[in-house]
Amino acid sequence: MASASKKTASTATDAGESAAVVIRREAVSSSAVADWTEDQQRKNMTSLIRTEPSSNAPNKGIQTLTRVQTKHPLEPLSPAEIFVAVATVRAAGATPAVRDSMRFIEAVLLEPDKHVVALADAYFFPPFQPSLLPRTKGGHVHIKLPPRQARLVVYSKKSNETSVWIVELVEVHATTRGGHHRGKVISSTVIPDVQPPLDAAEYAECEAVVKDYPPFIEAMKKRGIDDMDLVMVDNWCTGYYGEADAPTRRLAKPLIFCRTESDCPMENGYARPVEEIHVCVDMQNMVVIEFEDRKLVPLPLPDPLRNFTPGETRGGVDRSDVKALQIVQPEGPSFRIRGHYVEWQKWNFRVGFTPREGLIIYSVAYVDGSRGRRPIAHRLSFVEMVVPYGDPNDPHYRKNAFDGGEDGLGKNAHSLKKGCDCLGFIKYFDAHFTNFTGGVETIENCVCLHEEDHGILWKHQDWRTGLAEIRRSRRLTVSFMCTVANYEYGFYWHFYQDGKIEAEVKLTGILSLGALQPGESRKYGTTIAPGLYAPVHQHFFVARMDMAVDCRPGEMQNQVVEVNVKVEEPGKENVHNNAFYAEETLLRSELEAMRECNPLSARHWIVRNTRAVNRNGQLTGYKLVPGSNCLPLAGTEAMFLRRAAFLKHHLWVTPYARGEDFPGGEFPNQNPRVGEGLATWVKQNRSLEEMDIVLWYVFGITHVPRLEDWPVMPVEHIGFVLQPHGFFNTSPAIDVPPSPCSMDVKENEVKENGVAKSISSGLIAKL
């Protein structure tokens, strides 16, 4: 379909005519098209396409569409498009000095309106589903895919201003083919009183500036360190604690650590924190503006258990009884990939990526037999994370990292070529972004997609006959990992055969430590090694879910209900005092929908379609099932909560509004405004009845460090589940076929003391 329309359009253009793709809608019903395979859709839709001057388009039952883009509207920007966007913005600078001072924080796709995505998915790209478009009453309408647009955040080192640019990518050809590039500035807006995220290039430059600062060199000599190559300067944003932190200056207050061995590149330098040295750096001019060596605190002695490299390189011995585990898929994977479009069994969606959010999942849908492709969500992503520390002492009280808005989860993502936790047949996606000076960089193998065995899907054994049916569960996992200073985070979206979607975060990495004097202990942390303590802290994550349960683009037919399980009062209806029931409450407005988890009432929330029903006449829906969770363990006047007011509730619900993308606002770095983002938007108290619904789910973990978290923390898991609730007429996993099961004796023997013992069923033997 895509290649056919491209070819015919170019033919008409060469002839000097206005090219149009004419779709005869009456020839094939949309419901029939939805049930075809993609190959059938492509073949049959191609047979219905002809190209002709638009003036000759018939007047009835035909819709005329032109296509000027070969990329799907949600496809991430390519390196060539990023190059065009940056060059266009730079060329728009008024003077050479202005152009030279431009620093590029990000260049991302400006996501189009949902009706543009619907048009693309209907006729030009998979899933080729015309039923996505609103029904019309005949006549002909000229529609075309608009040019793609890029959105750039630019910081000026000259003026300390932040601006947002929109660039239309009129035409882009790969430079390797000798093509040309054209872009057009649509708008440029200076955003006052903000600071954009810090960049890795600034981190490196800040470290060099601090290590070259004479008073700092002298302070390290007092602590017995002459070799500045051993010193680690970890850049931390200042947050906002008063007018001195105002965004009129671009500031950082780094933490200092010191390695022991210069010839060991993987040595754990976080094992030797440098205490009582205060540094503040002007990041615009790259100069130290505040320095104070407050107190001479000796460096902790090197911990012999500090390293985590293999075997002898860490001074230990690796265990020798681990046998190889191989995941083999001799017939290849069950998924199919076309660009960034993914099909796996009955699921389909698109993969996206941004420097701030990292992985994005678009257009999530499930193919449900005769009901065709059923949308579930338009967009899923992790939009922010906050890590507040619970030690009131300096510098730990300032450690309130907004790792999404101050640093960027995507920009700190790993290339999984350097080590991947996935097994089996893997599909990787690269990520492209602009660096600080406007060059284009690529993280190869950034996003990992693969299948995983997940134990039992369902099982039942008849105790009378001993006969059993069992199915193994398989899930499709899409993930990426990032490092933000000392911590690593893995972000995962799992798709299951029973219709579930699981969001999971895996936390690992190295604790951020403080030093102790001999005999000293700290109330607000755990002593994890001699002379070292780890402050208590929390990790909070925010998932933004633009839901579309059984909704085509443009339809506003979703609502949210809260479900609490209640104990029936004693009385005639509960004579045995055992009764309980689920009570539903419709969340009618934004202020009503600021909610907290309650495991005592098994609280959960259901997004329902108000027009679609299952075979019992009940509204179809998907429910949000919370996992373990917590709230901020801080007083209401804690300064970090000015910027992170969204942490005060686990659930927020808003109607979709363009530009409402990040819970703490777009620029949380040094933000002096109170409650920007979600806490301000919901004051409008907009209606949530029959709307395009966005769920914001805040989930967190409280970390009281333990000795077993040292020297590198074993993975902690946290997340939630989106689960069908009346969405299907029966279990969608009932049609999963049995797994091949070898009954080879060798696989069914347990060897104990060299003697093989067969496994038998006691019940079968008895029968």
Side-chain angles (χ1 to χ4, degrees):
M1 172 65 187
S3 59
S5 60
K6 179 181 178 183
K7 180 178 179 181
T8 53
S10 62
T11 302
T13 304
D14 292 342
E17 299 173 333
S18 174
V21 178
V22 182
I23 311 295
R24 297 189 178 277
R25 295 177 67 103
E26 73 276 20
V28 180
S29 70
S30 60
S31 60
V33 171
D35 290 337
W36 292 345
T37 65
E38 182 183 317
D39 292 339
Q40 289 172 321
Q41 292 177 30
R42 187 187 299 272
K43 183 184 301 181
N44 286 276
M45 291 301 294
T46 302
S47 69
L48 299 175
I49 297 176
R50 59 188 172 86
T51 303
E52 60 183 47
S54 58
S55 58
N56 295 333
N59 293 325
K60 265 184 131 182
I62 292 181
Q63 196 167 41
T64 305
L65 306 97
T66 60
R67 174 185 178 188
V68 298
Q69 290 293 333
T70 58
K71 292 181 180 294
H72 188 276
L74 294 178
E75 191 92 353
L77 293 183
S78 67
E81 288 175 312
I82 296 173
F83 178 86
V84 170
V86 169
T88 302
V89 169
R90 202 190 297 276
T95 66
V98 170
R99 293 191 287 272
D100 290 343
S101 71
M102 286 182 174
R103 296 296 180 267
F104 295 85
I105 305 300
E106 68 174 27
V108 299
L109 174 74
L110 180 64
E111 295 177 11
D113 291 334
K114 294 180 181 180
H115 75 271
V116 174
V117 178
L119 171 63
D121 289 346
Y123 294 121
F124 298 124
F125 299 94
F128 301 107
Q129 187 183 1
S131 62
L132 286 171
L133 292 179
R135 304 181 191 279
T136 58
K137 293 185 177 179
H140 67 278
V141 182
H142 288 266
I143 310 175
K144 66 179 181 179
L145 294 181
R148 284 157 60 84
Q149 294 184 338
R151 184 181 189 272
L152 297 91
V153 176
V154 181
Y155 172 72
S156 171
K157 283 185 71 71
K158 179 178 175 11
S159 64
N160 194 36
E161 290 181 333
T162 300
S163 56
V164 173
W165 298 67
I166 306 299
V167 173
E168 184 175 274
L169 304 169
V170 179
E171 187 173 349
V172 179
H173 296 296
T175 54
T176 55
R177 299 209 311 257
H180 61 280
H181 309 274
R182 294 213 314 266
K184 180 172 68 175
V185 174
I186 302 300
S187 66
S188 170
T189 306
V190 174
I191 312 298
D193 204 26
V194 300
Q195 283 294 337
L198 292 177
D199 188 85
E202 292 178 288
Y203 284 14
E205 192 173 354
C206 175
E207 181 173 57
V209 166
V210 172
K211 288 162 71 170
D212 284 342
Y213 188 61
F216 178 78
I217 296 173
E218 186 62 29
M220 293 306 297
K221 285 182 178 180
K222 290 179 183 178
R223 290 160 174 81
I225 303 299
D226 294 316
D227 184 358
M228 286 295 108
D229 289 339
L230 297 176
V231 177
M232 298 163 45
V233 180
D234 270 21
N235 210 355
W236 282 66
C237 295
T238 63
Y240 185 83
Y241 288 84
E243 189 59 31
D245 300 323
T248 50
R249 299 182 298 173
R250 187 166 174 80
L251 302 176
K253 293 186 176 179
L255 300 179
I256 314 299
F257 302 88
C258 186
R259 295 188 293 115
T260 304
E261 306 170 55
S262 59
D263 58 348
C264 182
M266 283 296 288
E267 185 198 354
N268 183 1
Y270 292 108
R272 299 184 81 194
V274 179
E275 295 280 349
E276 297 296 341
I277 292 182
H278 169 78
V279 185
C280 183
V281 179
D282 178 342
M283 302 294 284
Q284 177 189 1
N285 302 301
M286 278 300 164
V287 295
V288 175
I289 57 175
E290 294 178 18
F291 180 85
E292 186 179 357
D293 187 357
R294 294 170 174 169
K295 180 182 177 182
L296 180 57
V297 178
L299 291 176
L301 295 175
D303 180 11
L305 303 180
R306 68 187 179 279
N307 289 332
F308 46 87
T309 49
E312 294 181 359
T313 61
R314 72 167 189 280
V317 178
D318 289 344
R319 60 183 70 181
S320 60
D321 57 350
V322 180
K323 305 300 182 183
L325 174 63
Q326 296 182 342
I327 306 298
V328 180
Q329 295 179 274
E331 299 177 1
S334 300
F335 54 77
R336 295 193 299 172
I337 310 293
R338 290 167 176 78
H340 286 73
Y341 180 70
V342 178
E343 293 175 292
W344 179 72
Q345 299 191 26
K346 298 184 179 184
W347 288 105
N348 55 71
F349 54 85
R350 290 188 176 276
V351 172
F353 199 88
T354 70
R356 178 165 181 165
E357 300 161 88
L359 175 63
I360 302 171
I361 306 293
Y362 294 110
S363 304
V364 180
Y366 191 96
V367 179
D368 184 21
S370 61
R371 299 188 71 163
R373 181 179 181 271
R374 301 177 65 188
I376 296 168
H378 175 70
R379 191 183 194 276
L380 306 173
S381 70
F382 298 97
V383 289
E384 189 57 277
M385 62 171 291
V386 184
V387 186
Y389 280 70
D391 187 337
N393 297 295
D394 194 19
H396 305 291
Y397 78 92
R398 281 186 170 272
K399 291 157 69 173
N400 313 128
F402 284 62
D403 289 336
E406 291 179 341
D407 292 286
L409 302 177
K411 267 196 171 182
N412 288 286
H414 299 174
S415 170
L416 297 177
K417 294 178 71 174
K418 300 177 180 178
C420 182
D421 64 339
C422 306
L423 296 174
F425 193 104
I426 303 171
K427 164 63 182 176
Y428 292 106
F429 297 89
D430 295 343
H432 312 289
F433 57 93
T434 176
N435 60 24
F436 202 43
T437 55
V440 180
E441 295 189 1
T442 296
I443 303 176
E444 295 182 328
N445 293 11
C446 182
V447 173
C448 170
L449 181 145
H450 72 295
E451 296 174 281
E452 295 179 343
D453 179 88
H454 196 62
I456 293 177
L457 177 60
W458 57 262
K459 178 180 181 177
H460 180 67
Q461 178 170 309
D462 190 315
W463 68 269
R464 291 180 175 84
T465 65
L467 300 177
E469 287 288 340
I470 182 171
R471 302 293 185 270
R472 289 199 68 80
S473 175
R474 190 182 301 188
R475 68 184 185 184
L476 183 71
T477 295
V478 196
S479 64
F480 82 103
M481 295 198 72
C482 67
T483 297
V484 186
N486 53 297
Y487 262 113
E488 268 74 24
Y489 301 96
F491 296 90
Y492 297 76
W493 293 96
H494 305 290
F495 296 85
Y496 291 85
Q497 292 164 307
D498 61 355
K500 290 199 304 286
I501 303 171
E502 181 185 8
E504 182 184 25
V505 180
K506 297 180 181 179
L507 300 81
T508 181
I510 301 175
L511 298 167
S512 182
L513 304 179
L516 296 174
Q517 296 297 300
E520 182 186 9
S521 63
R522 290 288 177 92
K523 178 180 180 179
Y524 307 103
T526 302
T527 301
I528 53 95
L532 294 172
Y533 87 104
V536 293
H537 57 282
Q538 296 180 288
H539 300 261
F540 290 100
F541 306 89
V542 185
R544 180 182 180 274
M545 295 166 280
D546 185 352
M547 302 300 290
V549 177
D550 267 335
C551 285
R552 294 178 299 181
E555 292 181 340
M556 296 190 294
Q557 298 174 0
N558 281 178
Q559 61 180 198
V560 180
V561 297
E562 178 176 288
V563 180
N564 289 281
V565 177
K566 295 198 169 183
V567 176
E568 184 66 81
E569 295 292 333
K572 291 188 299 182
E573 296 184 359
N574 187 21
V575 295
H576 303 292
N577 288 318
N578 68 315
F580 61 91
Y581 60 96
E583 181 179 79
E584 295 186 355
T585 303
L586 176 63
L587 303 180
R588 300 180 181 275
S589 67
E590 290 177 291
L591 293 181
E592 290 182 20
M594 299 186 300
R595 309 297 296 163
E596 288 80 46
C597 297
N598 185 359
L600 299 180
S601 66
R603 180 174 293 169
H604 57 273
W605 300 276
I606 305 174
V607 180
R608 285 196 173 130
N609 187 295
T610 58
R611 311 289 179 88
V613 297
N614 54 37
R615 66 173 178 172
N616 293 336
Q618 302 158 335
L619 299 180
T620 62
Y622 255 75
K623 73 176 182 178
L624 192 164
V625 183
S628 60
N629 212 331
C630 61
L631 287 170
L633 297 172
T636 56
E637 300 303 314
M639 291 298 290
F640 79 90
L641 288 176
R642 293 168 54 100
R643 300 187 295 148
F646 54 86
L647 297 183
K648 295 179 180 179
H649 302 284
H650 292 133
L651 181 76
W652 306 70
V653 186
T654 60
Y656 172 79
R658 196 168 181 86
E660 294 184 1
D661 301 317
F662 304 107
E666 183 171 8
F667 302 105
N669 186 16
Q670 297 178 238
N671 186 2
R673 295 167 290 281
V674 179
E676 190 165 39
L678 263 178
T680 297
W681 302 331
V682 299
K683 290 180 181 178
Q684 303 170 73
N685 203 23
R686 294 166 289 189
S687 172
L688 299 176
E689 298 188 69
E690 288 206 316
M691 295 298 293
D692 186 351
I693 292 294
V694 178
L695 299 180
W696 308 75
Y697 183 62
V698 181
F699 57 107
I701 185 172
T702 299
H703 191 182
V704 179
R706 56 201 178 103
L707 270 68
E708 291 83 357
D709 291 331
W710 183 253
V712 63
M713 188 176 82
V715 165
E716 291 274 358
H717 302 258
I718 185 174
F720 62 92
V721 173
L722 293 174
Q723 190 174 48
H725 190 278
F727 189 80
F728 301 103
N729 288 328
T730 185
S731 168
I734 200 68
D735 60 354
V736 174
S739 301
C741 181
S742 171
M743 297 303 294
D744 189 286
V745 174
K746 292 181 181 179
E747 294 181 1
N748 286 291
E749 292 179 343
V750 176
K751 293 189 176 181
E752 186 175 318
N753 297 324
V755 179
K757 296 185 177 181
S758 63
I759 298 176
S760 62
S761 167
L763 180 61
I764 293 293
K766 186 180 294 186
L767 289 172

